[in-house]
Amino acid sequence: MNPEQSASGIPTSDCIRCGICCKKGGPSFHHEDRMLIDKGIILSKYLYTIRKGELAYDNVKGCLLPTDSDIIKIKGRKGSWACVFFDENKNSCRIYENRPLECRVLNCRDTREIERIYAEKRLTRKDLMGNIKGLWDLIEAHQSQCNYGKIRHLMKDSEDKKNDASESLPEMLRYDRQIRLLLTEKSGIDPEMTDFLFGRPLTETIRAFGVRDS
Ligand code: SF4
């Protein structure tokens, strides 16, 4: 069956590469994308992790929800949501031949395929670094200390919990800052990789829970 066609002759369901999706943010990674990271085609300094339990906008459900696993994403350009690989001048993707799965299937004129794969087989930090002894231990320790489930529990609406939060949260924020500093200073790891290794700084992400870093 031929797809319907617009006046210009372009099937109404085809992606016309207008760049609007790329300006709204980069894709999340799935198992199929692993080799892009393993082979260094997409460097981890261009990635960040939404950690398990963090509040994130679900593009299919259209609301903010706590994530049930890591979501690894391509960063936005400074001060904008636009994917770091989007070239504004040429209105094109700098890594088009190697763009991740979500970019290949996303078509804003027919979203069935992206909806089907959106939450399936997400790539996690454990998939990528679970066998790197030392580094993985640090990531697990950070995940345990700066756990979003714990933060959500602390912020539940009771005076006692707020008192707990006033003691525990500054400690978590300190830990989150220090582990990033420690790793970059001692190991020489590029500071731009820390949003991938430990997620975005807690000072930014806890705002979604109604907390302000003072
Ligand atoms: S990787 Fe390329 S296609 Fe995908 S969002 Fe970024 S610029 Fe767009």
Side-chain angles (χ1 to χ4, degrees):
M1 186 172 70
N2 288 331
E4 285 180 39
Q5 294 202 330
S6 67
S8 64
I10 298 169
T12 52
S13 61
D14 274 9
C15 172
I16 56 170
R17 297 176 64 179
C18 63
I20 290 175
C21 299
C22 308
K23 288 178 193 163
K24 287 183 178 170
S28 305
F29 280 67
H30 299 259
H31 286 185
E32 290 88 335
D33 302 312
R34 180 180 179 144
M35 69 91 178
L36 297 173
I37 302 173
D38 282 347
K39 292 189 173 174
I41 295 168
I42 297 182
L43 300 178
S44 45
K45 69 176 183 176
Y46 296 121
L47 306 175
Y48 71 96
T49 301
I50 297 176
R51 292 195 287 119
K52 181 177 177 180
E54 188 172 342
L55 288 172
Y57 190 77
D58 185 306
N59 287 317
V60 169
K61 294 187 177 136
C63 56
L64 267 183
L65 289 173
T67 61
D68 53 14
S69 78
D70 279 355
I71 301 179
I72 295 172
K73 289 183 73 82
I74 292 183
K75 288 178 180 173
R77 249 184 286 120
K78 278 207 167 54
S80 123
W81 286 106
C83 174
V84 77
F85 294 116
F86 183 64
D87 184 331
E88 290 271 359
N89 296 325
K90 296 183 180 160
N91 204 45
S92 65
C93 172
R94 288 196 186 91
I95 56 163
Y96 189 77
E97 296 307 321
N98 290 306
R99 66 202 188 287
L101 176 69
E102 286 194 1
C103 306
R104 283 184 272 126
V105 305
L106 177 59
N107 178 355
C108 62
R109 294 142 73 95
D110 180 351
T111 56
R112 282 173 294 183
E113 189 58 8
I114 187 75
E115 285 174 26
R116 189 182 67 76
I117 62 118
Y118 185 70
E120 294 291 315
K121 295 199 250 168
R122 281 188 169 140
L123 194 62
T124 66
R125 289 173 297 170
K126 189 168 188 182
D127 295 327
L128 296 166
M129 296 175 285
N131 60 358
I132 307 177
K133 192 80 185 127
L135 180 60
W136 181 245
D137 294 339
L138 274 184
I139 292 170
E140 278 202 311
H142 174 262
Q143 182 66 13
S144 163
Q145 289 289 326
C146 303
N147 182 294
Y148 285 111
K150 216 188 282 180
I151 294 174
R152 186 169 299 105
H153 183 67
L154 287 169
M155 294 310 296
K156 278 214 177 112
D157 210 10
S158 86
E159 269 316 306
D160 284 352
K161 298 267 169 54
K162 277 180 187 161
N163 288 340
D164 283 351
S166 67
E167 289 171 18
S168 307
L169 280 173
E171 186 48 44
M172 283 188 198
L173 291 164
R174 252 193 312 277
Y175 185 95
D176 184 62
R177 269 192 293 266
Q178 278 170 358
I179 200 165
R180 290 162 201 269
L181 275 176
L182 186 76
L183 188 68
T184 52
E185 285 175 5
K186 299 266 182 208
S187 71
I189 279 182
D190 185 342
E192 290 196 48
M193 279 179 62
T194 56
D195 286 3
F196 165 60
L197 298 174
F198 302 116
R200 292 172 296 173
L202 215 46
T203 47
E204 294 172 20
T205 54
I206 56 169
R207 291 181 195 147
F209 293 86
V211 185
R212 296 284 174 273
D213 183 23
S214 53

mmCIF file of all heavy atoms in Angstrom, residues 153-173:
data_model
loop_
_atom_site.group_PDB
_atom_site.id
_atom_site.type_symbol
_atom_site.label_atom_id
_atom_site.label_comp_id
_atom_site.label_asym_id
_atom_site.label_seq_id
_atom_site.Cartn_x
_atom_site.Cartn_y
_atom_site.Cartn_z
ATOM 1 N N HIS A 153 11.933 9.651 49.931
ATOM 2 C CA HIS A 153 11.421 9.273 51.250
ATOM 3 C C HIS A 153 11.630 10.424 52.244
ATOM 4 O O HIS A 153 10.731 10.773 53.003
ATOM 5 C CB HIS A 153 12.160 8.016 51.703
ATOM 6 C CG HIS A 153 11.688 7.470 53.011
ATOM 7 N ND1 HIS A 153 10.437 6.933 53.177
ATOM 8 C CD2 HIS A 153 12.299 7.404 54.215
ATOM 9 C CE1 HIS A 153 10.294 6.544 54.424
ATOM 10 N NE2 HIS A 153 11.408 6.819 55.076
ATOM 11 N N LEU A 154 12.818 11.024 52.205
ATOM 12 C CA LEU A 154 13.125 12.120 53.129
ATOM 13 C C LEU A 154 12.211 13.326 52.919
ATOM 14 O O LEU A 154 11.888 14.051 53.853
ATOM 15 C CB LEU A 154 14.584 12.584 52.940
ATOM 16 C CG LEU A 154 15.673 11.654 53.464
ATOM 17 C CD1 LEU A 154 17.041 12.097 52.967
ATOM 18 C CD2 LEU A 154 15.660 11.615 54.985
ATOM 19 N N MET A 155 11.819 13.527 51.663
ATOM 20 C CA MET A 155 11.045 14.711 51.353
ATOM 21 C C MET A 155 9.539 14.519 51.531
ATOM 22 O O MET A 155 8.759 15.427 51.281
ATOM 23 C CB MET A 155 11.321 15.156 49.901
ATOM 24 C CG MET A 155 12.747 15.623 49.694
ATOM 25 S SD MET A 155 13.266 16.832 50.933
ATOM 26 C CE MET A 155 12.148 18.176 50.553
ATOM 27 N N LYS A 156 9.130 13.324 51.961
ATOM 28 C CA LYS A 156 7.692 13.096 52.160
ATOM 29 C C LYS A 156 7.185 14.092 53.192
ATOM 30 O O LYS A 156 7.868 14.480 54.117
ATOM 31 C CB LYS A 156 7.437 11.659 52.614
ATOM 32 C CG LYS A 156 7.423 10.695 51.460
ATOM 33 C CD LYS A 156 6.430 9.571 51.704
ATOM 34 C CE LYS A 156 6.400 8.680 50.495
ATOM 35 N NZ LYS A 156 6.952 7.353 50.780
ATOM 36 N N ASP A 157 5.934 14.441 53.023
ATOM 37 C CA ASP A 157 5.409 15.595 53.732
ATOM 38 C C ASP A 157 5.129 15.359 55.216
ATOM 39 O O ASP A 157 3.981 15.302 55.638
ATOM 40 C CB ASP A 157 4.144 16.039 53.009
ATOM 41 C CG ASP A 157 3.937 17.513 53.156
ATOM 42 O OD1 ASP A 157 4.858 18.190 53.651
ATOM 43 O OD2 ASP A 157 2.866 17.972 52.809
ATOM 44 N N SER A 158 6.170 15.201 56.011
ATOM 45 C CA SER A 158 5.937 15.163 57.463
ATOM 46 C C SER A 158 7.066 15.930 58.128
ATOM 47 O O SER A 158 8.181 15.967 57.641
ATOM 48 C CB SER A 158 5.912 13.718 57.968
ATOM 49 O OG SER A 158 7.222 13.290 58.245
ATOM 50 N N GLU A 159 6.760 16.550 59.252
ATOM 51 C CA GLU A 159 7.766 17.385 59.907
ATOM 52 C C GLU A 159 9.003 16.571 60.278
ATOM 53 O O GLU A 159 10.127 17.011 60.078
ATOM 54 C CB GLU A 159 7.190 18.037 61.167
ATOM 55 C CG GLU A 159 6.568 19.404 60.930
ATOM 56 C CD GLU A 159 7.419 20.286 60.031
ATOM 57 O OE1 GLU A 159 8.612 20.494 60.323
ATOM 58 O OE2 GLU A 159 6.891 20.768 59.011
ATOM 59 N N ASP A 160 8.778 15.339 60.796
ATOM 60 C CA ASP A 160 9.909 14.510 61.193
ATOM 61 C C ASP A 160 10.828 14.264 60.020
ATOM 62 O O ASP A 160 12.043 14.358 60.119
ATOM 63 C CB ASP A 160 9.420 13.154 61.718
ATOM 64 C CG ASP A 160 8.869 13.300 63.112
ATOM 65 O OD1 ASP A 160 9.021 14.391 63.680
ATOM 66 O OD2 ASP A 160 8.280 12.318 63.604
ATOM 67 N N LYS A 161 10.208 13.936 58.864
ATOM 68 C CA LYS A 161 11.008 13.631 57.682
ATOM 69 C C LYS A 161 11.792 14.863 57.245
ATOM 70 O O LYS A 161 12.917 14.781 56.797
ATOM 71 C CB LYS A 161 10.115 13.143 56.552
ATOM 72 C CG LYS A 161 9.370 11.865 56.894
ATOM 73 C CD LYS A 161 10.168 10.682 56.419
ATOM 74 C CE LYS A 161 9.644 9.364 56.951
ATOM 75 N NZ LYS A 161 8.239 9.150 56.677
ATOM 76 N N LYS A 162 11.138 16.062 57.387
ATOM 77 C CA LYS A 162 11.858 17.273 56.986
ATOM 78 C C LYS A 162 13.084 17.490 57.871
ATOM 79 O O LYS A 162 14.116 17.928 57.420
ATOM 80 C CB LYS A 162 10.926 18.484 57.041
ATOM 81 C CG LYS A 162 10.101 18.589 55.776
ATOM 82 C CD LYS A 162 9.176 19.768 55.817
ATOM 83 C CE LYS A 162 8.261 19.723 54.605
ATOM 84 N NZ LYS A 162 7.072 20.549 54.792
ATOM 85 N N ASN A 163 12.903 17.157 59.167
ATOM 86 C CA ASN A 163 14.055 17.302 60.048
ATOM 87 C C ASN A 163 15.174 16.358 59.632
ATOM 88 O O ASN A 163 16.341 16.726 59.585
ATOM 89 C CB ASN A 163 13.652 17.021 61.503
ATOM 90 C CG ASN A 163 12.806 18.157 62.053
ATOM 91 O OD1 ASN A 163 12.852 19.261 61.507
ATOM 92 N ND2 ASN A 163 12.040 17.876 63.087
ATOM 93 N N ASP A 164 14.784 15.116 59.275
ATOM 94 C CA ASP A 164 15.791 14.162 58.802
ATOM 95 C C ASP A 164 16.473 14.716 57.562
ATOM 96 O O ASP A 164 17.680 14.661 57.415
ATOM 97 C CB ASP A 164 15.125 12.831 58.402
ATOM 98 C CG ASP A 164 14.777 12.006 59.612
ATOM 99 O OD1 ASP A 164 15.207 12.393 60.709
ATOM 100 O OD2 ASP A 164 14.075 10.999 59.449
ATOM 101 N N ALA A 165 15.641 15.271 56.667
ATOM 102 C CA ALA A 165 16.174 15.756 55.397
ATOM 103 C C ALA A 165 17.186 16.863 55.627
ATOM 104 O O ALA A 165 18.201 16.936 54.938
ATOM 105 C CB ALA A 165 15.032 16.264 54.513
ATOM 106 N N SER A 166 16.928 17.723 56.634
ATOM 107 C CA SER A 166 17.842 18.836 56.834
ATOM 108 C C SER A 166 19.224 18.346 57.253
ATOM 109 O O SER A 166 20.216 19.029 57.067
ATOM 110 C CB SER A 166 17.283 19.827 57.864
ATOM 111 O OG SER A 166 17.258 19.202 59.120
ATOM 112 N N GLU A 167 19.292 17.151 57.846
ATOM 113 C CA GLU A 167 20.609 16.616 58.199
ATOM 114 C C GLU A 167 21.206 15.773 57.075
ATOM 115 O O GLU A 167 22.382 15.868 56.773
ATOM 116 C CB GLU A 167 20.498 15.738 59.453
ATOM 117 C CG GLU A 167 20.238 16.542 60.706
ATOM 118 C CD GLU A 167 19.925 15.644 61.889
ATOM 119 O OE1 GLU A 167 20.238 14.442 61.832
ATOM 120 O OE2 GLU A 167 19.360 16.161 62.856
ATOM 121 N N SER A 168 20.375 14.957 56.448
ATOM 122 C CA SER A 168 20.902 13.995 55.475
ATOM 123 C C SER A 168 21.229 14.611 54.128
ATOM 124 O O SER A 168 22.197 14.211 53.490
ATOM 125 C CB SER A 168 19.889 12.872 55.242
ATOM 126 O OG SER A 168 19.512 12.324 56.460
ATOM 127 N N LEU A 169 20.411 15.558 53.686
ATOM 128 C CA LEU A 169 20.634 16.079 52.335
ATOM 129 C C LEU A 169 21.963 16.811 52.175
ATOM 130 O O LEU A 169 22.678 16.582 51.196
ATOM 131 C CB LEU A 169 19.466 16.978 51.911
ATOM 132 C CG LEU A 169 18.246 16.200 51.426
ATOM 133 C CD1 LEU A 169 17.071 17.132 51.196
ATOM 134 C CD2 LEU A 169 18.547 15.418 50.163
ATOM 135 N N PRO A 170 22.340 17.693 53.117
ATOM 136 C CA PRO A 170 23.646 18.342 52.945
ATOM 137 C C PRO A 170 24.783 17.322 52.875
ATOM 138 O O PRO A 170 25.741 17.496 52.118
ATOM 139 C CB PRO A 170 23.784 19.230 54.193
ATOM 140 C CG PRO A 170 22.380 19.490 54.606
ATOM 141 C CD PRO A 170 21.623 18.229 54.276
ATOM 142 N N GLU A 171 24.637 16.236 53.623
ATOM 143 C CA GLU A 171 25.665 15.189 53.603
ATOM 144 C C GLU A 171 25.730 14.538 52.213
ATOM 145 O O GLU A 171 26.801 14.304 51.651
ATOM 146 C CB GLU A 171 25.336 14.155 54.696
ATOM 147 C CG GLU A 171 26.368 13.084 54.906
ATOM 148 C CD GLU A 171 27.794 13.623 55.019
ATOM 149 O OE1 GLU A 171 28.035 14.638 55.722
ATOM 150 O OE2 GLU A 171 28.655 13.024 54.367
ATOM 151 N N MET A 172 24.556 14.269 51.637
ATOM 152 C CA MET A 172 24.518 13.683 50.289
ATOM 153 C C MET A 172 25.118 14.633 49.263
ATOM 154 O O MET A 172 25.852 14.213 48.375
ATOM 155 C CB MET A 172 23.066 13.412 49.870
ATOM 156 C CG MET A 172 22.450 12.202 50.479
ATOM 157 S SD MET A 172 20.842 11.927 49.685
ATOM 158 C CE MET A 172 20.094 10.849 50.877
ATOM 159 N N LEU A 173 24.773 15.911 49.384
ATOM 160 C CA LEU A 173 25.283 16.899 48.424
ATOM 161 C C LEU A 173 26.802 16.993 48.501
ATOM 162 O O LEU A 173 27.493 17.085 47.487
ATOM 163 C CB LEU A 173 24.646 18.276 48.687
ATOM 164 C CG LEU A 173 23.156 18.359 48.351
ATOM 165 C CD1 LEU A 173 22.523 19.588 48.990
ATOM 166 C CD2 LEU A 173 22.942 18.390 46.852
#
